[in-house]
Amino acid sequence: MAKVCMIGLGKTGLEIARYMVNSDKLDLVMAVASPGSSKLGKDLGELLNTRDTGIKVTGGDSLADNLKLFKPDVAVDFTDPKASVKNLEVLAKHKVNTVICTTGFTELQIQRIRAITLANKVGTVIAPNITVGVNVLRFVCEIISGILDDYDVEIIESHHRHKKDSPSATALKIADSILKGQRLEGKKNLVVLDRNITGMRRDKEIGVHAVRAGGIVGIHKVLFVSEEDKLEITHESFNRSIFAKGVEKAINFIIGKKGVYDMDDVLDFKTALESYVLRQAEVN
Ligand SMILES: NC(=O)c1ccc[n+]([C@@H]2O[C@H](COP(=O)([O-])OP(=O)(O)OC[C@H]3O[C@@H](n4cnc5c(N)ncnc54)[C@H](OP(=O)(O)O)[C@@H]3O)[C@@H](O)[C@H]2O)c1
Protein backbone atom coordinates (compact mmCIF):
# COMPACT_ATOMS: atom_id res chain seq x y z
CA MET A 1 0.00 0.00 0.00
CA ALA A 2 1.40 3.44 -0.96
CA LYS A 3 2.58 5.54 1.99
CA VAL A 4 1.47 9.11 1.34
CA CYS A 5 2.48 12.56 2.59
CA MET A 6 -0.30 15.17 2.18
CA ILE A 7 0.99 18.74 1.92
CA GLY A 8 -1.45 21.67 2.19
CA LEU A 9 -4.42 21.24 4.49
CA GLY A 10 -6.67 23.95 3.08
CA LYS A 11 -10.13 23.58 1.52
CA THR A 12 -9.09 20.89 -0.96
CA GLY A 13 -6.16 19.25 0.84
CA LEU A 14 -8.34 18.43 3.84
CA GLU A 15 -10.92 16.70 1.64
CA ILE A 16 -8.17 14.61 0.06
CA ALA A 17 -6.80 13.79 3.53
CA ARG A 18 -10.32 12.72 4.62
CA TYR A 19 -10.50 10.33 1.65
CA MET A 20 -7.06 8.89 2.43
CA VAL A 21 -7.80 8.39 6.12
CA ASN A 22 -10.84 6.28 5.14
CA SER A 23 -9.09 4.43 2.31
CA ASP A 24 -7.83 0.86 2.60
CA LYS A 25 -5.70 1.36 -0.52
CA LEU A 26 -3.65 4.38 0.61
CA ASP A 27 -1.68 4.77 3.84
CA LEU A 28 -1.56 8.42 4.89
CA VAL A 29 1.55 8.82 7.06
CA MET A 30 2.12 12.63 7.05
CA ALA A 31 -0.09 15.73 7.02
CA VAL A 32 1.79 18.99 6.44
CA ALA A 33 0.52 22.55 6.99
CA SER A 34 2.30 25.86 6.40
CA PRO A 35 5.14 26.86 8.75
CA GLY A 36 3.60 28.66 11.74
CA SER A 37 0.07 27.44 10.92
CA SER A 38 -2.46 27.21 13.74
CA LYS A 39 -2.98 23.56 12.63
CA LEU A 40 0.54 22.45 13.73
CA GLY A 41 0.65 19.74 16.40
CA LYS A 42 -3.07 18.94 16.11
CA ASP A 43 -4.29 15.46 15.31
CA LEU A 44 -5.53 15.40 11.70
CA GLY A 45 -8.84 13.99 13.01
CA GLU A 46 -9.47 17.26 14.85
CA LEU A 47 -9.25 19.19 11.56
CA LEU A 48 -11.54 16.65 9.88
CA ASN A 49 -14.02 16.63 12.79
CA THR A 50 -13.59 12.88 13.17
CA ARG A 51 -11.93 10.43 15.56
CA ASP A 52 -8.20 10.74 16.26
CA THR A 53 -6.11 9.45 13.36
CA GLY A 54 -2.74 9.27 15.11
CA ILE A 55 -1.34 11.62 12.45
CA LYS A 56 0.01 14.84 13.95
CA VAL A 57 0.10 17.86 11.65
CA THR A 58 3.66 19.05 11.00
CA GLY A 59 5.00 22.20 9.33
CA GLY A 60 6.45 22.72 5.85
CA ASP A 61 9.67 23.93 7.50
CA SER A 62 10.30 20.50 9.12
CA LEU A 63 9.51 18.53 5.95
CA ALA A 64 13.03 17.07 5.58
CA ASP A 65 13.15 15.69 9.15
CA ASN A 66 9.69 14.15 8.91
CA LEU A 67 10.36 12.57 5.50
CA LYS A 68 13.32 10.75 7.11
CA LEU A 69 11.08 9.62 9.97
CA PHE A 70 7.91 8.55 8.10
CA LYS A 71 9.44 7.56 4.72
CA PRO A 72 6.43 8.20 2.42
CA ASP A 73 6.51 6.81 -1.15
CA VAL A 74 4.61 9.75 -2.65
CA ALA A 75 3.72 13.32 -1.66
CA VAL A 76 0.62 15.21 -2.83
CA ASP A 77 0.84 19.00 -2.89
CA PHE A 78 -2.18 21.34 -2.67
CA THR A 79 -0.51 24.57 -1.47
CA ASP A 80 0.51 27.63 -3.50
CA PRO A 81 3.08 27.92 -6.32
CA LYS A 82 5.96 29.30 -4.21
CA ALA A 83 5.49 26.77 -1.40
CA SER A 84 5.03 23.96 -3.90
CA VAL A 85 8.39 24.56 -5.63
CA LYS A 86 10.13 24.84 -2.25
CA ASN A 87 8.50 21.59 -1.07
CA LEU A 88 9.53 19.81 -4.27
CA GLU A 89 13.19 20.73 -3.68
CA VAL A 90 13.08 18.91 -0.33
CA LEU A 91 10.95 15.98 -1.53
CA ALA A 92 13.14 15.33 -4.59
CA LYS A 93 16.31 15.44 -2.49
CA HIS A 94 14.75 12.72 -0.31
CA LYS A 95 13.72 10.66 -3.39
CA VAL A 96 10.00 11.08 -2.76
CA ASN A 97 7.88 11.22 -5.94
CA THR A 98 5.26 13.96 -6.03
CA VAL A 99 1.82 14.69 -7.43
CA ILE A 100 1.57 18.48 -7.77
CA CYS A 101 -2.04 19.65 -7.82
CA THR A 102 -1.30 23.28 -6.96
CA THR A 103 -2.13 25.71 -9.80
CA GLY A 104 -1.03 29.18 -10.90
CA PHE A 105 2.64 28.47 -11.70
CA THR A 106 4.60 30.83 -13.96
CA GLU A 107 6.40 29.31 -16.95
CA LEU A 108 9.66 29.81 -15.03
CA GLN A 109 8.34 27.88 -12.03
CA ILE A 110 7.24 25.00 -14.30
CA GLN A 111 10.75 24.91 -15.77
CA ARG A 112 12.16 24.81 -12.23
CA ILE A 113 9.86 21.87 -11.34
CA ARG A 114 11.14 19.99 -14.41
CA ALA A 115 14.77 20.78 -13.57
CA ILE A 116 14.43 19.65 -9.92
CA THR A 117 12.69 16.42 -10.99
CA LEU A 118 15.26 15.50 -13.62
CA ALA A 119 18.33 16.50 -11.56
CA ASN A 120 17.19 14.33 -8.64
CA LYS A 121 15.98 11.43 -10.85
CA VAL A 122 12.52 11.31 -9.26
CA GLY A 123 8.99 11.31 -10.69
CA THR A 124 6.56 14.22 -10.69
CA VAL A 125 3.01 14.52 -11.99
CA ILE A 126 1.96 18.10 -12.76
CA ALA A 127 -1.83 18.08 -12.62
CA PRO A 128 -3.47 21.52 -12.78
CA ASN A 129 -6.72 19.59 -12.90
CA ILE A 130 -6.74 16.23 -11.21
CA THR A 131 -10.41 15.48 -11.98
CA VAL A 132 -10.70 12.53 -14.36
CA GLY A 133 -13.85 13.91 -16.07
CA VAL A 134 -12.28 17.28 -16.88
CA ASN A 135 -9.28 15.59 -18.43
CA VAL A 136 -11.61 13.48 -20.56
CA LEU A 137 -13.41 16.71 -21.62
CA ARG A 138 -10.07 18.21 -22.66
CA PHE A 139 -9.11 15.11 -24.64
CA VAL A 140 -12.51 14.96 -26.37
CA CYS A 141 -12.29 18.70 -27.22
CA GLU A 142 -8.92 18.10 -28.91
CA ILE A 143 -10.48 15.47 -31.15
CA ILE A 144 -13.66 17.48 -31.87
CA SER A 145 -11.72 20.60 -32.78
CA GLY A 146 -9.91 18.66 -35.50
CA ILE A 147 -13.30 17.73 -36.99
CA LEU A 148 -15.27 20.98 -36.42
CA ASP A 149 -12.27 23.07 -37.37
CA ASP A 150 -14.31 25.96 -38.84
CA TYR A 151 -16.52 26.38 -35.73
CA ASP A 152 -16.03 29.26 -33.29
CA VAL A 153 -14.83 28.00 -29.90
CA GLU A 154 -15.47 29.70 -26.54
CA ILE A 155 -14.59 28.37 -23.07
CA ILE A 156 -16.45 29.49 -19.95
CA GLU A 157 -15.15 28.43 -16.54
CA SER A 158 -16.85 29.10 -13.18
CA HIS A 159 -15.34 28.75 -9.70
CA HIS A 160 -15.92 29.82 -6.10
CA ARG A 161 -15.28 33.41 -5.01
CA HIS A 162 -12.03 32.46 -3.13
CA LYS A 163 -10.14 31.12 -6.15
CA LYS A 164 -6.96 33.15 -6.59
CA ASP A 165 -5.90 32.44 -10.19
CA SER A 166 -8.01 33.48 -13.18
CA PRO A 167 -8.74 32.14 -15.71
CA SER A 168 -8.35 28.60 -14.39
CA ALA A 169 -5.24 26.69 -15.46
CA THR A 170 -7.65 24.03 -16.70
CA ALA A 171 -9.42 26.45 -19.08
CA LEU A 172 -6.04 27.43 -20.54
CA LYS A 173 -5.08 23.75 -20.92
CA ILE A 174 -8.39 23.11 -22.72
CA ALA A 175 -7.56 26.03 -25.07
CA ASP A 176 -4.09 24.50 -25.69
CA SER A 177 -5.69 21.14 -26.52
CA ILE A 178 -8.12 22.80 -28.97
CA LEU A 179 -5.22 24.59 -30.70
CA LYS A 180 -3.41 21.24 -30.87
CA GLY A 181 -6.51 19.58 -32.39
CA GLN A 182 -6.62 22.33 -35.04
CA ARG A 183 -2.87 21.96 -35.71
CA LEU A 184 -2.28 25.48 -34.36
CA GLU A 185 -0.20 24.25 -31.42
CA GLY A 186 1.52 27.03 -29.48
CA LYS A 187 -0.37 29.93 -31.19
CA LYS A 188 -1.21 31.46 -27.83
CA ASN A 189 -2.09 34.83 -29.42
CA LEU A 190 -5.31 33.18 -30.59
CA VAL A 191 -6.42 32.69 -26.97
CA VAL A 192 -8.33 35.81 -25.87
CA LEU A 193 -9.01 36.26 -22.16
CA ASP A 194 -12.23 37.97 -20.99
CA ARG A 195 -12.71 39.70 -24.34
CA ASN A 196 -12.89 43.43 -23.61
CA ILE A 197 -11.96 44.94 -26.97
CA THR A 198 -14.26 46.46 -29.53
CA GLY A 199 -14.26 44.72 -32.89
CA MET A 200 -15.17 41.41 -34.43
CA ARG A 201 -13.78 38.06 -33.32
CA ARG A 202 -11.01 36.70 -35.52
CA ASP A 203 -11.25 33.28 -37.19
CA LYS A 204 -9.73 30.58 -34.98
CA GLU A 205 -9.84 32.83 -31.92
CA ILE A 206 -10.63 30.96 -28.66
CA GLY A 207 -12.39 33.14 -26.08
CA VAL A 208 -11.82 32.21 -22.41
CA HIS A 209 -14.17 33.66 -19.77
CA ALA A 210 -13.98 33.39 -15.97
CA VAL A 211 -16.92 33.54 -13.55
CA ARG A 212 -16.10 33.85 -9.83
CA ALA A 213 -19.09 33.44 -7.52
CA GLY A 214 -20.16 31.89 -4.23
CA GLY A 215 -19.30 28.27 -3.59
CA ILE A 216 -19.12 26.88 -7.14
CA VAL A 217 -16.66 23.94 -6.96
CA GLY A 218 -15.78 24.01 -10.68
CA ILE A 219 -17.55 24.14 -14.05
CA HIS A 220 -15.85 24.07 -17.47
CA LYS A 221 -18.05 24.59 -20.50
CA VAL A 222 -16.79 24.50 -24.10
CA LEU A 223 -18.92 25.82 -26.98
CA PHE A 224 -18.33 24.87 -30.63
CA VAL A 225 -20.61 27.17 -32.63
CA SER A 226 -21.31 27.53 -36.37
CA GLU A 227 -23.92 29.68 -38.17
CA GLU A 228 -26.22 26.64 -38.10
CA ASP A 229 -25.65 24.72 -34.88
CA LYS A 230 -23.92 24.52 -31.52
CA LEU A 231 -22.19 21.69 -29.69
CA GLU A 232 -21.79 22.31 -25.96
CA ILE A 233 -19.70 20.14 -23.63
CA THR A 234 -19.79 20.77 -19.89
CA HIS A 235 -18.06 19.23 -16.91
CA GLU A 236 -19.21 20.12 -13.41
CA SER A 237 -17.65 19.03 -10.12
CA PHE A 238 -20.31 18.70 -7.40
CA ASN A 239 -17.92 18.47 -4.45
CA ARG A 240 -14.22 18.31 -3.65
CA SER A 241 -14.17 14.54 -3.03
CA ILE A 242 -14.03 14.17 -6.84
CA PHE A 243 -10.41 15.39 -6.66
CA ALA A 244 -9.46 12.45 -4.40
CA LYS A 245 -10.29 9.85 -7.05
CA GLY A 246 -7.88 11.50 -9.53
CA VAL A 247 -5.24 11.90 -6.82
CA GLU A 248 -5.40 8.17 -6.09
CA LYS A 249 -4.88 7.35 -9.78
CA ALA A 250 -1.93 9.78 -10.00
CA ILE A 251 -0.32 8.33 -6.84
CA ASN A 252 -0.53 4.76 -8.15
CA PHE A 253 0.84 5.91 -11.51
CA ILE A 254 3.90 7.81 -10.23
CA ILE A 255 5.20 5.17 -7.80
CA GLY A 256 8.54 3.89 -9.08
CA LYS A 257 8.62 6.28 -12.08
CA LYS A 258 11.21 8.91 -13.01
CA GLY A 259 10.50 12.05 -15.05
CA VAL A 260 7.76 14.64 -15.47
CA TYR A 261 4.24 13.51 -16.38
CA ASP A 262 0.74 14.96 -16.73
CA MET A 263 -2.80 13.58 -16.45
CA ASP A 264 -2.75 12.40 -20.08
CA ASP A 265 -0.01 9.99 -19.01
CA VAL A 266 -1.85 8.99 -15.83
CA LEU A 267 -5.12 8.29 -17.66
CA ASP A 268 -3.33 6.75 -20.67
CA PHE A 269 -5.48 8.35 -23.40
CA LYS A 270 -3.07 7.01 -26.01
CA THR A 271 -4.07 3.40 -25.27
CA ALA A 272 -7.79 4.34 -25.26
CA LEU A 273 -7.38 5.89 -28.70
CA GLU A 274 -5.34 2.96 -30.04
CA SER A 275 -7.97 0.44 -28.93
CA TYR A 276 -10.69 2.57 -30.60
CA VAL A 277 -8.75 2.51 -33.88
CA LEU A 278 -8.21 -1.26 -33.51
CA ARG A 279 -11.95 -1.83 -32.89
CA GLN A 280 -12.82 0.19 -36.02
CA ALA A 281 -10.30 -1.82 -38.05
CA GLU A 282 -11.94 -5.08 -36.81
CA VAL A 283 -15.44 -3.82 -37.76
CA ASN A 284 -14.30 -2.89 -41.26
N1 LIG B 1 -5.35 20.23 -9.48
C1 LIG B 1 -6.61 20.33 -9.10
O1 LIG B 1 -7.50 19.64 -9.63
C2 LIG B 1 -6.98 21.32 -8.02
C3 LIG B 1 -8.22 21.24 -7.38
C4 LIG B 1 -8.49 22.16 -6.34
C5 LIG B 1 -7.52 23.08 -5.98
N2 LIG B 1 -6.33 23.12 -6.65
C6 LIG B 1 -5.27 24.05 -6.31
O2 LIG B 1 -4.68 23.62 -5.07
C7 LIG B 1 -4.20 24.75 -4.35
C8 LIG B 1 -4.84 24.77 -2.98
O3 LIG B 1 -6.23 24.93 -3.12
P1 LIG B 1 -7.22 25.14 -1.89
O4 LIG B 1 -8.53 25.46 -2.47
O5 LIG B 1 -7.10 23.99 -0.97
O6 LIG B 1 -6.57 26.46 -1.24
P2 LIG B 1 -6.43 26.89 0.27
O7 LIG B 1 -7.69 26.56 1.01
O8 LIG B 1 -5.97 28.31 0.26
O9 LIG B 1 -5.27 25.95 0.85
C9 LIG B 1 -3.91 26.15 0.62
C10 LIG B 1 -3.20 25.62 1.85
O10 LIG B 1 -1.80 25.60 1.56
C11 LIG B 1 -1.17 25.65 2.80
N3 LIG B 1 0.25 26.01 2.69
C12 LIG B 1 0.81 27.16 2.27
N4 LIG B 1 2.15 27.05 2.31
C13 LIG B 1 2.43 25.80 2.76
C14 LIG B 1 3.62 25.07 3.01
N5 LIG B 1 4.83 25.61 2.80
N6 LIG B 1 3.54 23.81 3.48
C15 LIG B 1 2.34 23.23 3.69
N7 LIG B 1 1.16 23.87 3.48
C16 LIG B 1 1.22 25.13 3.01
C17 LIG B 1 -1.98 26.67 3.61
O11 LIG B 1 -1.83 26.13 4.91
P3 LIG B 1 -2.24 26.81 6.33
O12 LIG B 1 -3.73 26.82 6.33
O13 LIG B 1 -1.66 25.84 7.25
O14 LIG B 1 -1.60 28.15 6.34
C18 LIG B 1 -3.40 26.50 3.06
O15 LIG B 1 -4.24 25.78 3.97
C19 LIG B 1 -4.54 25.98 -5.23
O16 LIG B 1 -3.44 26.26 -6.05
C20 LIG B 1 -5.71 25.47 -6.07
O17 LIG B 1 -5.88 26.17 -7.27
C21 LIG B 1 -6.06 22.25 -7.66
Side-chain angles (χ1 to χ4, degrees):
M1 203 190 311
K3 287 165 74 177
V4 183
C5 163
M6 183 69 219
I7 310 181
L9 305 174
K11 285 184 291 298
T12 316
L14 275 179
E15 283 311 309
I16 310 290
R18 186 187 305 284
Y19 177 87
M20 289 182 189
V21 163
N22 294 317
S23 166
D24 52 8
K25 297 197 188 92
L26 298 172
D27 181 15
L28 184 63
V29 294
M30 284 174 66
V32 183
S34 66
S37 166
S38 58
K39 296 165 189 157
L40 298 188
K42 291 189 176 161
D43 187 280
L44 180 61
E46 191 182 334
L47 302 181
L48 299 175
N49 292 321
T50 59
R51 59 180 164 78
D52 270 10
T53 61
I55 302 161
K56 291 268 172 274
V57 176
T58 55
D61 48 351
S62 57
L63 188 57
D65 289 343
N66 287 305
L67 290 176
K68 282 184 212 147
L69 199 62
F70 295 104
K71 301 189 179 4
D73 303 303
V74 180
V76 177
D77 190 296
F78 274 92
T79 59
D80 63 56
K82 222 170 133 194
S84 195
V85 174
K86 213 169 152 200
N87 292 335
L88 187 69
E89 282 168 0
V90 181
L91 292 160
K93 213 179 265 177
H94 288 81
K95 301 291 179 202
V96 177
N97 285 358
T98 303
V99 176
I100 298 181
C101 299
T102 301
T103 64
F105 293 106
T106 61
E107 198 45 53
L108 212 65
Q109 284 170 322
I110 294 281
Q111 280 173 25
R112 180 84 193 112
I113 289 171
R114 287 183 186 283
I116 297 168
T117 302
L118 299 180
N120 291 281
K121 298 189 171 51
V122 290
T124 304
V125 177
I126 305 177
N129 199 308
I130 196 82
T131 312
V132 174
V134 165
N135 285 288
V136 172
L137 174 143
R138 190 170 51 70
F139 176 63
V140 166
C141 283
E142 182 175 335
I143 294 171
I144 292 173
S145 61
I147 302 166
L148 305 180
D149 62 350
D150 57 345
Y151 279 47
D152 292 335
V153 186
E154 298 278 309
I155 303 169
I156 305 156
E157 57 96 346
S158 309
H159 283 88
H160 54 88
R161 66 195 329 277
H162 303 289
K163 185 165 175 64
K164 290 177 191 133
D165 47 328
S166 168
S168 72
T170 304
L172 295 177
K173 273 209 111 187
I174 295 169
D176 280 350
S177 296
I178 290 165
L179 288 174
K180 210 164 138 198
Q182 296 188 344
R183 302 192 173 281
L184 294 168
E185 204 163 353
K187 302 243 182 235
K188 294 210 186 279
N189 69 323
L190 290 172
V191 180
V192 178
L193 310 183
D194 283 324
R195 195 177 283 109
N196 63 356
I197 47 162
T198 319
M200 277 166 45
R201 105 191 293 285
R202 291 168 294 166
D203 285 344
K204 304 287 182 193
E205 199 170 279
I206 301 173
V208 180
H209 313 272
V211 175
R212 293 290 172 266
I216 301 171
V217 174
I219 304 174
H220 289 88
K221 183 185 286 188
V222 184
L223 309 176
F224 293 88
V225 190
S226 74
E227 294 287 350
E228 296 83 20
D229 67 352
K230 174 179 80 170
L231 172 63
E232 190 174 308
I233 304 175
T234 304
H235 177 272
E236 176 167 2
S237 300
F238 299 147
N239 56 56
R240 287 189 170 77
S241 57
I242 186 69
F243 299 132
K245 306 245 167 91
V247 166
E248 185 169 2
K249 280 185 192 291
I251 289 173
N252 289 327
F253 170 85
I254 201 64
I255 287 177
K257 291 220 171 47
K258 291 186 173 83
V260 180
Y261 301 90
D262 60 19
M263 285 305 280
D264 286 14
D265 301 310
V266 173
L267 299 173
D268 199 6
F269 289 145
K270 202 165 159 250
T271 303
L273 208 54
E274 278 166 5
S275 50
Y276 172 79
V277 172
L278 269 177
R279 278 198 306 279
Q280 293 308 305
E282 278 165 17
V283 169
N284 299 322

